[in-house]
Amino acid sequence: MRWVGVLLLICILGAGFLYMNQDNTPRPAWEWKPGPYDPPVQYAFIPEDTECHGWPSSPTEEEAEPPLIACTEWRLRVNYKLGKGRQDIGLIFGAGCGGYRRGVSVGDDDCTSDIELHDAASQVQLSDSERRGVPLRITRDGHRIAYLSKKYLQFVGWDLPTAQQKAISPRLDARMLDDVRSVEISPDGKFFAVSFAGDQPRLLVTEFATGQTTTLRGFCAILGLSQGASRIAAQRTCSDLVEAGPVTILKRDGTVISEWGSAASVGSLSPDGQSVVEIQADFGDDGDEYLVTRNATTGKVVKKLKLNLLSEPSDAVGHAWLSNREFIVEAETPEPGGSFGYYRVNVGTGVSHRIRDLGLNPGGTVSLGSAFVRD
């Protein structure tokens, strides 16, 4: 009989019990140090049934003010072979093994796990009455992520197979967190970027191998990094909602290659740095939506393709490039909070295919890698 359930065996194969010292006494979550972990992360999500979605509560009598890190809800979804590769991550996680995946029967050693990443902030408390969500990013190969560390109060890059973590921002207080606008990783995972608005808008671009950071001043939103961060798409517009405004294409050293005005909200930069995409909606009777590809250097429209994700009405939301040819789009329901699933769209032809490895609604907030997408 095939089974799906929680395997404590994973804990034995892994690093043992969560947050335990060598003498088996509990230690605080913020002392956690990751171990090496080989299976690639497919995507990260925040469960819909989390207990941390409520409005901020007042501090307790013991607290002078609310804690800066309000919630740590991020989960990492991974698929892997039981006992294959290094899985000494240092966190307990259950596994569902066997059964079916993508509608196909799989063996008892084919497992899926959701890892609770207790060090990754999902919401921060900026004041007694204001919270803000915090992004988490995943590289295309699923082996590196970027997140706000509860332990260090700074954004970190984490290479899972080597268990290396490196700072990609300074230590942050509530004011600096309020200024954060974007967190991105280059498609090859070599460069991490964090952008800030406020009185000193800037991009911090960090090379993971060396830990060296370059500061590019005057920009406060990142529209994407190409391979090796040889090209960076950014904006000088510093409003909370980054909409129509000049798009600047930069080199990693800050040299401006080009700058052009955008007629609509622009999506992300392609891995080769040659294109940017945006989703345009026709607010007429038909309500059609289009995937528009622009030349990254000139801003000129190269393709405008009607999106035909479903036969029923849906709202298209762009997520990430899968390759230089395909872009991931989610079909949201007309009612808030629902999803019809995720699709890979060919930017040259408009042909789309449902991504079967990603459920209709895996969580309230989702961050995608590309390791889960198979032909």
Side-chain angles (χ1 to χ4, degrees):
M1 179 178 178
R2 299 186 186 280
W3 50 271
V4 176
V6 175
L7 281 182
L8 292 180
L9 174 61
I10 300 300
C11 306
I12 298 173
L13 293 173
F17 294 102
L18 176 63
Y19 306 141
M20 301 297 285
N21 290 311
Q22 292 184 351
D23 60 358
N24 288 329
T25 59
R27 58 188 173 92
W30 53 83
E31 291 186 8
W32 168 70
K33 294 182 179 180
Y37 191 75
D38 287 336
V41 175
Q42 292 187 301
Y43 59 89
F45 67 99
I46 295 175
E48 287 191 315
D49 58 355
T50 178
E51 297 179 358
C52 203
H53 280 324
W55 188 253
S57 59
S58 299
T60 64
E61 293 182 359
E62 291 79 14
E63 295 175 326
E65 57 184 19
L68 183 58
I69 304 300
C71 307
T72 55
E73 308 159 286
W74 283 109
R75 308 289 187 267
L76 306 179
R77 169 63 60 89
V78 293
N79 290 333
Y80 59 95
K81 289 283 188 179
L82 186 63
K84 183 178 180 180
R86 298 173 299 174
Q87 298 171 19
D88 188 19
I89 198 172
L91 297 173
I92 281 182
F93 54 94
C97 300
Y100 292 83
R101 187 180 301 161
R102 303 178 71 199
V104 178
S105 178
V106 297
D108 288 342
D109 59 347
D110 288 296
C111 301
T112 296
S113 289
D114 293 335
I115 301 172
E116 297 186 15
L117 187 53
H118 298 284
D119 188 44
S122 55
Q123 291 188 53
V124 291
Q125 188 99 30
L126 301 178
S127 68
D128 289 347
S129 60
E130 183 182 3
R131 281 186 182 179
R132 172 169 291 185
V134 184
L136 181 149
R137 296 287 182 258
I138 307 168
T139 54
R140 294 172 68 230
D141 64 6
H143 289 304
R144 286 182 175 177
I145 68 175
Y147 68 89
L148 177 62
S149 168
K150 179 179 180 179
K151 176 180 179 180
Y152 298 110
L153 289 179
Q154 59 189 161
F155 282 96
V156 298
W158 175 19
D159 181 79
L160 280 75
T162 63
Q164 290 187 76
Q165 284 189 333
K166 294 187 178 179
I168 60 173
S169 82
R171 186 177 176 89
L172 304 172
D173 56 20
R175 180 187 60 78
M176 296 177 70
L177 279 168
D178 193 28
D179 288 340
V180 172
R181 290 296 178 271
S182 314
V183 180
E184 299 293 342
I185 313 176
S186 64
D188 51 16
K190 294 181 179 180
F191 290 85
F192 292 68
V194 183
S195 72
F196 297 86
D199 296 334
Q200 299 179 348
R202 63 203 181 280
L203 310 184
L204 304 182
V205 183
T206 302
E207 183 178 18
F208 189 87
T210 64
Q212 293 182 339
T213 297
T214 301
T215 301
L216 306 179
R217 302 191 183 280
F219 301 94
C220 53
I222 310 167
L223 301 177
L225 309 176
S226 69
Q227 298 276 15
S230 60
R231 296 291 184 272
I232 301 171
Q235 285 187 302
R236 304 178 191 271
T237 306
C238 298
S239 63
D240 287 338
L241 298 176
V242 179
E243 297 180 342
V247 174
T248 306
I249 305 299
L250 306 160
K251 292 184 180 180
R252 196 169 64 243
D253 62 4
T255 302
V256 174
I257 298 174
S258 66
E259 191 167 60
W260 45 271
S262 169
S265 181
V266 177
S268 55
L269 181 70
S270 62
D272 61 8
Q274 299 301 307
S275 305
V276 294
V277 293
E278 60 194 55
I279 292 176
Q280 291 185 3
D282 182 354
F283 296 104
D285 294 336
D286 294 333
D288 294 332
E289 292 180 302
Y290 300 87
L291 185 71
V292 178
T293 305
R294 294 177 180 269
N295 180 291
T297 302
T298 66
K300 292 183 178 180
V301 174
V302 177
K303 289 275 187 178
K304 183 176 181 179
L305 301 167
K306 183 179 177 181
L307 285 171
N308 293 304
L309 304 180
L310 294 164
S311 58
E312 54 192 306
S314 64
D315 296 323
V317 178
H319 276 270
W321 287 87
L322 177 59
S323 67
N324 290 318
R325 294 176 300 173
E326 292 185 307
F327 189 72
I328 299 174
V329 177
E330 180 185 9
E332 289 190 343
T333 60
E335 300 76 24
S339 175
F340 289 126
Y342 294 77
Y343 296 78
R344 50 197 299 179
V345 180
N346 187 300
V347 299
T349 65
V351 174
S352 62
H353 299 281
R354 170 79 190 282
I355 299 173
R356 299 295 176 182
D357 276 357
L358 196 57
L360 291 180
N361 204 358
T365 303
V366 178
S367 179
L368 303 178
S370 301
F372 62 90
V373 182
R374 305 182 183 91
D375 292 324

